Amino acid sequence: MTADSGLGEELVGVFARVSGMLLTEATVATALSTVTSLAADALAGTAGSGISLLDADGRRITSAATDPLVEQLDDLQYELDEGPCLTAWRERTVLHSDGRDEQRWPAWTPRAHQFGMRSFLSAPLINRDSALGAIKVYSTAVNAFDERDADLLRRFAEQAAIFVGNVQTVRAAEHISDQLKKTLRSRDLVAMARGIVMARRGIDPDEAFRELAAESHRTGQLVSEVAARIVASPADA
C-alpha cells in the first residue's frame, strides 16, 4: 500500500465518522468539538487541536479545542494579532512551523515556547470564496509535522469548511425564514386592521390604509404596530 492510499483510507475513516455525526443533527458546539478531536487523532504527535472562527459580533474566537492550552495559545494570537493560525487564515494557506528560529511571530512564538509548544500547523477553512477561519494543531516536539501532515490537515480543513459553511447557510436560511414569517404576519395584520377600519368607518381600502398611515405618523409607531393594536382591540378602532 502506498503512502497516498494509506492517507486516503485514513481520510475516509475520519470523514465517515463526521458524516455519522452530522446525520444525528448534533449541536454546532458538539460537532466542532468532534472535528477537533478527529484532527488531533489523525495527526500523530499532536498535543492539541482547535478551530478558530468569527462569532456573531465579528470577533475571533476558538469555537472548539481539545485542550485548555489550545485556547490559551489561541487567545494569545487574538490578543497579539499574530500567530500561525491567524496567518493561515489571512493568507489562505497551510502554515507549517517547526518552532526553531521562527521569526514570523516575534511576540507570540516565545510565549508559545513558554507553554512547551514547539511545532505548529494550521490550515484555513475556505468555503467557496470565503475564509471562514482556521484549524490548527500544536505539538511539544520540534519538527513534529511533515508534508504528509500538512496535506492531511489541508484536506481535513476543506471538509471542515464545508461543514461550517453549511451550518452558516442553515443559520442564514433560518434568519431569512424568520424575517419572512415576520413580514407575512405584518402584512396580514395590516390587512385585518384595514378591514376593521373599513367596516367601522364605512370607507374604501385606500382610505382605510391612509388612516393607518396617519395614525402611524401621529404615534411614531410602525404601521404594523398600529395594525396589531387595532386587531387586538377592534372595538376601539
Side-chain angles (χ1 to χ4, degrees), residues 37-221:
S37 296
L38 292 174
D41 291 344
L43 279 75
T46 298
S49 175
I51 291 178
S52 295
L53 301 171
L54 294 179
D55 67 8
D57 297 321
R59 296 172 299 188
R60 295 170 298 199
I61 61 168
T62 301
S63 297
T66 59
D67 189 279
L69 182 56
V70 173
E71 295 185 9
Q72 289 181 277
L73 291 169
D74 284 355
D75 286 343
L76 274 174
Q77 292 195 61
Y78 309 149
E79 177 186 342
L80 299 172
D81 197 32
E82 69 173 44
C85 179
L86 296 185
T87 300
W89 188 348
R90 288 166 176 159
E91 298 183 2
R92 302 189 178 199
T93 186
V94 177
L95 221 299
H96 180 208
S97 173
D98 63 11
R100 293 176 297 189
D101 300 321
E102 180 57 70
Q103 303 296 321
R104 286 172 290 187
W105 315 294
W108 183 84
T109 301
R111 302 286 294 276
H113 286 174
Q114 289 176 0
F115 284 109
M117 294 301 148
R118 294 295 184 269
S119 297
F120 324 114
L121 184 62
S122 300
L125 272 60
I126 307 295
N127 188 45
R128 297 185 177 90
D129 294 327
S130 299
L132 305 178
I135 184 169
K136 84 298 302 270
V137 289
Y138 298 126
S139 177
T140 57
V142 174
N143 203 24
F145 306 116
D146 56 20
E147 290 305 314
R148 177 186 177 279
D149 295 318
D151 185 55
L152 177 58
L153 192 65
R154 176 187 60 77
R155 298 193 206 180
F156 200 97
E158 289 174 354
Q159 297 299 319
I162 292 173
F163 165 67
V164 175
N166 288 342
V167 169
Q168 293 184 350
T169 298
V170 169
R171 287 176 175 170
E174 289 175 347
H175 177 70
I176 291 173
S177 179
D178 289 342
Q179 289 295 104
L180 179 60
K181 289 176 182 177
K182 184 177 180 180
T183 299
L184 292 175
R185 175 166 172 74
S186 296
R187 187 187 67 181
D188 290 343
L189 282 172
V190 171
M192 292 170 65
R194 186 174 60 183
I196 291 171
V197 172
M198 288 169 59
R200 292 293 184 184
R201 302 280 197 274
I203 55 181
D204 63 30
D206 289 341
E207 289 181 284
F209 185 80
R210 281 195 291 271
E211 286 206 12
L212 292 177
E215 180 67 6
S216 170
H217 180 73
R218 185 184 68 81
T219 62
Q221 294 179 307

